[in-house]
Amino acid sequence: MTTMTRNVTDLYPTRGATEVATPRQDPVVWGGPDTPGPVPAGDLEALDRDGFLAVDQLIGPDEVGVYQRELERLISDPAIRADERSVVEPKSQEIRSVFEVHRISEVFANLVRDERVVGRARQILGSDVYVHQSRINVKPGFGASGFYWHSDFETWHAEDGLPNMRTISVSIALTENYDTNGGLMIMPGSHKTFLGCAGATPKDNYKKSLQMQDAGTPSDEALTRMASEYGIRLFTGKAGSATWFDCNAMHGSGDNITPFPRSNVFIVFNSVENTAVEPFAAPIRRPEFIGARDFTPVR
């Protein structure tokens, strides 16, 4: 465990009286040309430019079945449902997410350690990495709600104390992502500008934000400008496909009103050289199962 302090400069002010845009102060790809890893140079260039990288098949069909069965086991377990790490859908009262899944499940812990996964994170971030957050997301058909536009880094900076943009996420599809069942949407290039949001962070904001984002959301005017400048990319793909995306990419997802579920495992890797300090714009830290304070490298 590492003790957190706040002896660092705030490069990305947010949660003030007004919305403020700040040019990105950090690289997107931290690894150099000689940094080993499975990502080709052309894909790293695309990640730097667009803020995301799609992989058609990160894991194979047989492996997908293993993770699907483990997801079903977890969300069917009454003990998991009662755990504070589970988030329940307000309307259906079904499990929406289970956090810290790599600590709850050895099956998902093995996925985190898989070199196809962690090797890409190390290469992109140019260092050893630890898991800042992990979760399974369950988006069943017929009404599962989406998630409003946001930058993950805005929250992780404001409420978890991550100083720099040296964090990468991967969403691995465990069901097919159609263009109709509430898939991930990203504004390509939006990761190059940090949008500091207006409004103070309420105490225990995480309890509400895990079901519906409020604090840390951009204004309609800012989103309109960004969408006009960058456009919006919707991600589709077979089960086993993956989307890697930068921590500051503006993204969101719509409701799923189709009969077809959309489930995924979501892993956030942070550089061991970018460990959390005290929150930059929140009265208290979020719980460790949401924003880790164990900075042990993935091995």
Side-chain angles (χ1 to χ4, degrees):
M1 298 288 288
T2 302
T3 302
M4 303 195 305
T5 62
R6 262 291 301 276
N7 299 320
V8 294
T9 302
D10 185 357
L11 298 176
Y12 302 104
T14 189
R15 312 278 175 104
T18 59
E19 202 169 52
V20 179
T22 302
R24 187 187 184 108
Q25 306 294 303
D26 296 304
V28 178
V29 177
W30 291 73
D34 298 326
T35 304
V39 186
D43 285 351
L44 291 175
E45 292 172 3
L47 174 64
D48 180 77
R49 179 189 68 241
D50 298 328
F52 59 80
L53 175 63
V55 179
D56 288 339
Q57 188 177 66
L58 184 64
I59 58 175
D62 291 344
E63 296 170 289
V64 167
V66 171
Y67 298 119
Q68 286 174 334
R69 289 189 291 274
E70 180 68 355
L71 180 148
E72 290 298 327
R73 184 188 72 80
L74 291 172
I75 65 174
S76 300
D77 186 339
I80 297 296
R81 183 185 178 84
D83 194 292
E84 65 174 345
R85 291 172 287 189
S86 294
V87 179
V88 176
E89 185 76 32
K91 293 180 180 179
S92 68
Q93 291 299 300
E94 297 297 325
I95 287 180
R96 169 180 179 144
S97 299
V98 179
F99 279 80
E100 214 172 40
V101 71
H102 71 295
R103 294 191 182 277
I104 294 174
S105 164
E106 186 61 26
V107 172
F108 285 111
N110 288 335
L111 180 62
V112 166
R113 294 190 291 261
D114 192 309
E115 277 300 311
R116 292 170 295 179
V117 178
V118 71
R120 283 177 163 85
R122 291 192 193 105
Q123 183 184 8
I124 292 165
L125 300 180
S127 69
D128 279 332
V129 297
Y130 70 95
V131 176
H132 177 68
Q133 184 186 107
S134 73
R135 66 180 188 261
I136 48 173
N137 293 322
V138 185
K139 209 170 193 179
F142 300 119
S145 56
F147 217 77
Y148 199 67
W149 291 103
H150 64 287
S151 154
D152 286 330
F153 180 76
E154 194 279 337
T155 298
W156 298 338
H157 182 69
E159 300 185 41
D160 297 340
L162 295 192
N164 296 94
M165 295 180 185
R166 198 170 181 179
T167 314
I168 191 79
S169 301
V170 60
S171 174
I172 304 172
L174 300 182
T175 54
E176 184 157 359
N177 283 235
Y178 302 101
D179 58 4
T180 53
N181 65 341
L184 175 68
M185 297 181 289
I186 294 179
M187 297 184 186
S190 60
H191 62 303
K192 296 294 183 73
T193 300
F194 176 76
L195 187 64
C197 298
T201 309
K203 184 179 178 181
D204 290 341
N205 177 57
Y206 78 93
K207 293 180 180 178
K208 180 180 179 183
S209 68
L210 296 181
Q211 293 182 332
M212 182 176 292
Q213 187 85 355
D214 188 8
T217 54
S219 67
D220 291 352
E221 293 78 11
L223 289 170
T224 299
R225 289 194 302 271
M226 296 177 77
S228 298
E229 179 177 356
Y230 301 121
I232 297 173
R233 166 79 182 271
L234 170 66
F235 291 87
T236 60
K238 300 285 188 182
S241 63
T243 306
W244 292 83
F245 58 103
D246 179 81
C247 59
N248 191 46
M250 190 63 67
H251 65 288
S253 64
D255 295 350
N256 181 14
I257 61 172
T258 75
F260 310 113
R262 176 183 172 264
S263 299
N264 69 298
V265 55
F266 179 72
I267 307 163
V268 180
F269 293 102
N270 189 39
S271 169
V272 296
E273 299 172 12
N274 186 46
T275 54
V277 296
E278 290 297 331
F280 285 88
I284 59 171
R285 309 166 187 167
R286 297 195 300 175
E288 189 167 353
F289 68 84
I290 301 173
R293 294 189 288 275
D294 180 349
F295 311 134
T296 305
V298 176
R299 298 288 187 225

